[in-house]
């Protein structure tokens, strides 16, 4: 028959992904150059955001009878109420405001080989909720209202590559959920498309290798949520990928402070320029200290432990490695959790939520916890639209999002939690080991305190493999920041809880080929974890990261270490 | 660490599945014995079903203000209205009655090795909608109301093996949808659990090999819908499975009328005893003729073509065989269809459906097409409850459910259709090439006529690889029967349609590990297709099947051949 079957004409994708991980530079020869570029971009653009009363948002109206807040066009999103019953939980019934945004947007990253190495086309982008100005976002980040140009802004650059992929290679293309605590059944299409031909690099865009992006994951509030979820959806799994990474690991000096080398003090201060002045000076100080730290002698026992950790992580990317659960068992467990749990969730008028106070200014919980619904007025240059108002969710406190990871038969596994969030389309998704804002639990019974939270908060620094403060979606959430942590435990064997399972990186990757298995926090955190496979999986970086985190964040809400 | 990794202690599951496919008998040495057992079971049980007015159903009430029909306990299911907008379709807006059954039931089959061969524990079961009495159903077929014993019936046998699988091997466990045209977001948990120890065989239950079940797929209205969907969810894919089946194929006489050998005239008449008298005599006649036919000389050109077809089908079970689309491309296509299609579906009061007539007796469409909602009064012996009333959906006409299949580079592929049905939880599922009741389209514009319907209806007998009339769920649907067809085309290369894709058996199997990719009709039909891999994939059987189908059904609604 005439239908042609597929023929491979170059290295398999997994090999090319691994090579991109191992590449310290290309389009930007060093991250120094990237940071200079970023600070220049920051100088050419601005976004002024000020809080305004919810009742006075231009273009928005409060619906009579319901109190729902909606755009006058009926597009974009609305703020409504949600009534939730989840049986057999410490808190089994509540109501809350929630964002209802039924349209499916596109989050897309274009990739392309430059000098034989895969690069990702990233955009330096302002969002009103970003506390620090520019962050690195995907090539395209567009709601349907956005790209059908309801707000008559400029067209979205590169969008056509995602609306019509013919002639290009689709590397990932899957709908995924977003925050189920703040969004009602929000879904975005996560796409990675490889293009072969030439393409112009528009103002504010740049090409980065996976290795460079991995290193940049240690910079606070730089790689934005939309970029993280799309990067996580790349198929980062396979025996060949493992083989390339393992070979590099075996030949690399075990404890070279690669990340510090990739970011000179000059780069650090350039990066700081893209941040707000307060954060910037703290970050610059931290990075200078870290660079000093990085000149310390390399071969230490901690370095050896790092090498073992990284080898176990790389093995975890190989689907041929056996673990405690087969994929069949994992899928059966998910089916069981989704069948047993029967939350009753329904949209209600925003006026009918209980336990919340509403003023002209904002909506907040009676306890001051969880989040506020606030209004902002935005004035921007260098973005699609120059001026707009909108409601946003402003969460209370800085959250903790953490994986406990441990070796099982020499293969690293992460402990995932089958979570119920009211906004999920399908009852349960797998989340991180810990995902919470600790203060939200202070007034609740002890049984409500999240499992493993204390183990994460009390982990010694030698166990913390990754720690960075990262921002959530700046288009809907105002100053929503979480401390992302990867915490190494040697107690994996002893942990057995019906709502938790140990999964390998390749198993998580297999689930990520399908919709609604891994929640947005787990996807972000998985990318944090895989960022340790390449140049950056080393103590030098961890120290640098920790210093930056500790100096650039608001006073730490975590329990004292 | 101490968490044990998995160790294989016996043949891989795929080898054991292939061996079960190739086993003509075990617990029943021949199908003759099975049919005797079935007719004895039919003699010991009965179910009398008579139509009664919808307004007079004992235990059910018509809700004031909405007209919805619901059980007085609030359990089981209700009949409500659905309002549907699907943009850009020939018929883009309609409303209809629909069954709302939010609970997730369990459809489970226990499997066990008997003399080293996997057997499935099947139940001979009456359902009020069955036109022929007993059908073969899964080990367990239970709604939550059912197994929480809302109707205070007897406990469901074997249910505990599915509620608590610890200590047993879970072979499949996945929630799947059911008819999206008649059910609002109905989902059932499809489970296959292998037990190691001894187990008592309760009255009305029996053990059958996959090979026996494959052969029985050619008997009209015997293997019920719930059994078919669970059997389809078994992981029927893998290089080793292909290898075992291919070896058997290479050594078997190419055209042995295996099915006919497996069903002697005595068995045929025994099988007929389980049917209603009218169907039975026609079937018995057909089977006698078929058995005669089966004694015809074996080596024919048609026989060689069969061997090639079967070899291509067996190769299709090997995920290592390349096809026109990678799994990544298939998943991207599904994502695209689910993103582009934006149906607006909402439950409305049953009283507000338009175009439907409601009397005390029943609800029917103004044109008489689609389906009626009817009431039945049931009296049963040998089932969990002796007596009850319930509403049911009674469809109009006999549907056509068909796969076009064709070889691409020597590997059989089936043409699947990305279908929108209003009751799907996730917009689009993959259905058969053709799924319709042809008369429902007579009054609609030509553009509404389903693609490929004529190719299926006009296929010559040498192209029809499978054809059997099978029943849909007899617990909710009254006399819902469809003609299931596998039609071989050599035009696969020329068929290219944005809503259709050619997938291999192993690709369909991969999708079946996850929820809501393959609709109930495609799952049934996939099991029909894989039933041709073993003893039955031969012309002798096709001839037999066709004879039975043609004689036991109501006058054929298909276009004349």
């Amino acid at each position: 028959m005439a239908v042609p079957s597929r023929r491979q004409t170059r290295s398999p994708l997994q090999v090319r992904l691994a090579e991109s991980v191992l590449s310290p530079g290309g389009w930007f020869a060093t991250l120094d150059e990237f940071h200079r570029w970023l600070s220049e971009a920051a100088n050419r653009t601005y976004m002024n955001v000020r809080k305004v009363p919810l009742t006075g948002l231009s273009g928005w109206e409060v619906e009579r009878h319901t109190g729902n807040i909606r755009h006058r066009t009926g597009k974009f999103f609305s703020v409504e109420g949600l009534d939730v019953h989840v049986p057999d939980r410490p808190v089994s019934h509540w109501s809350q405001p929630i964002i209802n945004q039924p349209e499916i947007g596109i989050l897309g990253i274009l990739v392309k080989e430059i000098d034989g190495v895969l690069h990702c086309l990233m955009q330096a982008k302002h969002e009103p909720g970003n506390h620090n100005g520019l962050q690195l976002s995907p090539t395209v980040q567009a709601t349907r209202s956005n790209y059908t140009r309801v707000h008559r802004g400029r067209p979205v650059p590169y969008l056509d590559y995602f609306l019509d992929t013919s002639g290009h290679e689709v590397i990932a293309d899957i709908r995924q959920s977003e925050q189920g605590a703040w969004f009602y059944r929000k879904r975005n299409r996560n796409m990675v498309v490889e293009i072969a031909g030439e393409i112009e690099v528009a103002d504010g865009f740049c090409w980065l290798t996976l290795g460079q992006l991995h290193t940049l994951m240690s910079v606070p509030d730089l790689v934005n949520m939309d970029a993280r979820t799309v990067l996580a959806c790349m198929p980062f799994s396979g025996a060949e990928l493992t083989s390339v990474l393992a070979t590099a690991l075996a030949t690399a000096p075990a404890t070279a402070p690669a990340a510090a080398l990739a970011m000179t003090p000059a780069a650090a201060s350039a990066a700081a320029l893209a941040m707000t002045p307060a954060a910037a000076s703290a970050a610059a100080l931290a990075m200078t200290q870290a660079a000093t730290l990085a000149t310390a002698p390399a071969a230490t026992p901690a370095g050896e432990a790092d090498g073992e950790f990284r080898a176990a992580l790389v093995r975890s990317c190989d689907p041929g490695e056996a673990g405690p659960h087969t994929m069949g068992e994992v899928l059966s467990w998910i089916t069981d959790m989704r069948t047993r749990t029967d939350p009753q969730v329904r949209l209600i008028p925003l006026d009918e939520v209980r336990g919340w106070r509403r003023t002209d200014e904002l909506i907040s919980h009676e306890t001051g916890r969880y989040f506020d619904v606030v209004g902002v007025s935005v004035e921007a240059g260098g973005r699609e639209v120059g001026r707009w108002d909108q409601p946003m969710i402003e969460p209370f406190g800085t959250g903790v999002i953490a994986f406990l990871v441990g070796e099982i038969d020499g293969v690293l596994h992460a402990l995932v939690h089958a979570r119920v969030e009211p906004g999920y389309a399908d009852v349960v998704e797998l989340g991180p080991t810990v995902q919470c804002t600790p203060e939200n639990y202070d007034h609740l019974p002890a049984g409500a305190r999240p499992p493993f939270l204390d183990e994460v908060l009390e982990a010694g620094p030698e166990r913390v493999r990754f720690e960075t403060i990262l921002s959530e979606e700046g288009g809907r959430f105002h100053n929503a920041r979480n401390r992302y942590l990867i915490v190494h435990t040697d107690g994996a064997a002893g942990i057995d809880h019906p709502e938790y399972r140990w999964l390998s990186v390749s198993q998580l990757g297999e689930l990520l080929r399908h919709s609604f298995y891994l929640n947005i926090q787990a996807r972000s955190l998985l990318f944090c974890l895989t960022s340790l496979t390449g140049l950056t999986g080393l103590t030098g970086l961890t120290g640098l990261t920790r210093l930056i985190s500790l100096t650039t964040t608001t006073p730490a809400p975590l329990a004292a270490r």
Side-chain angles (χ1 to χ4, degrees), chain A residues 141 148 158 376 401 403 507:
Chain A
Q141 183 177 308
T148 54
Y158 306 111
V376 297
I401 292 178
F403 269 146
Q507 288 180 322

Side-chain angles (χ1 to χ4, degrees), chain A residues 126-312:
Chain A
H126 283 284
E127 293 283 4
N130 293 356
H131 85 293
N132 62 334
L134 285 180
Q135 296 193 8
L136 265 187
S137 67
T139 318
V140 163
Q141 183 177 308
T143 63
R144 194 182 289 254
S145 294
N146 210 209
Y147 63 73
T148 54
R149 298 172 66 193
V150 172
H151 53 14
R152 286 161 296 172
R154 281 183 281 147
V156 178
Y158 306 111
L159 179 64
D160 290 344
Y161 289 98
F162 299 96
L163 295 180
D164 178 7
T165 59
S166 55
H168 307 296
E169 181 95 3
V170 178
I171 289 178
D173 182 7
I174 191 69
R175 295 165 312 144
Q176 297 289 5
S177 69
E178 299 196 355
Q179 282 79 358
W182 300 334
F183 278 125
Y184 181 70
R185 301 191 175 178
K186 170 85 179 291
R187 295 155 301 168
N188 269 328
R189 185 171 178 179
N190 287 243
M191 299 180 80
V192 180
V193 173
E194 181 176 3
I195 50 171
E198 288 309 306
I199 186 172
E200 200 177 327
V201 178
D203 189 38
F205 290 79
C206 70
W207 292 104
L208 291 166
T209 65
L210 281 176
Q212 290 177 320
L213 284 162
H214 282 172
T215 304
L216 294 174
M217 285 302 291
S218 61
V219 180
D221 301 306
L222 180 58
V223 180
N224 84 356
M225 181 189 94
D226 292 347
R228 300 192 305 267
T229 171
V230 179
L231 290 166
C233 288
M234 285 201 188
F236 202 75
S237 165
E240 287 173 295
L241 177 136
T242 295
S243 164
V244 173
L245 294 176
T247 305
L249 178 63
T251 55
T255 55
L261 291 176
M263 191 186 291
T264 62
S269 48
L273 289 178
M275 304 175 187
T276 58
S281 56
L285 173 66
M287 287 190 197
T288 306
Q289 291 170 334
T292 312
L293 214 165
T295 61
T300 63
E304 278 169 40
D306 287 342
E308 280 168 30
F309 169 83
R310 197 168 143 197

Side-chain angles (χ1 to χ4, degrees), chain A residues 89 175-180 183-187 331 333-345 417-431 514-519:
Chain A
R89 300 281 160 144
R175 295 165 312 144
Q176 297 289 5
S177 69
E178 299 196 355
Q179 282 79 358
F183 278 125
Y184 181 70
R185 301 191 175 178
K186 170 85 179 291
R187 295 155 301 168
L331 294 172
W333 170 63
I334 295 171
T335 298
D336 192 61
M337 298 307 294
R338 285 181 163 168
T339 308
R340 281 177 200 274
T341 313
D342 191 16
Q344 306 292 319
V345 175
H417 176 208
R419 275 183 77 86
V420 178
E421 293 186 19
Y424 289 154
D426 202 0
V427 187
V428 164
E429 296 193 13
L430 303 188
H514 306 277
S515 296
F516 314 143
Y517 278 129
L518 259 60
N519 77 359

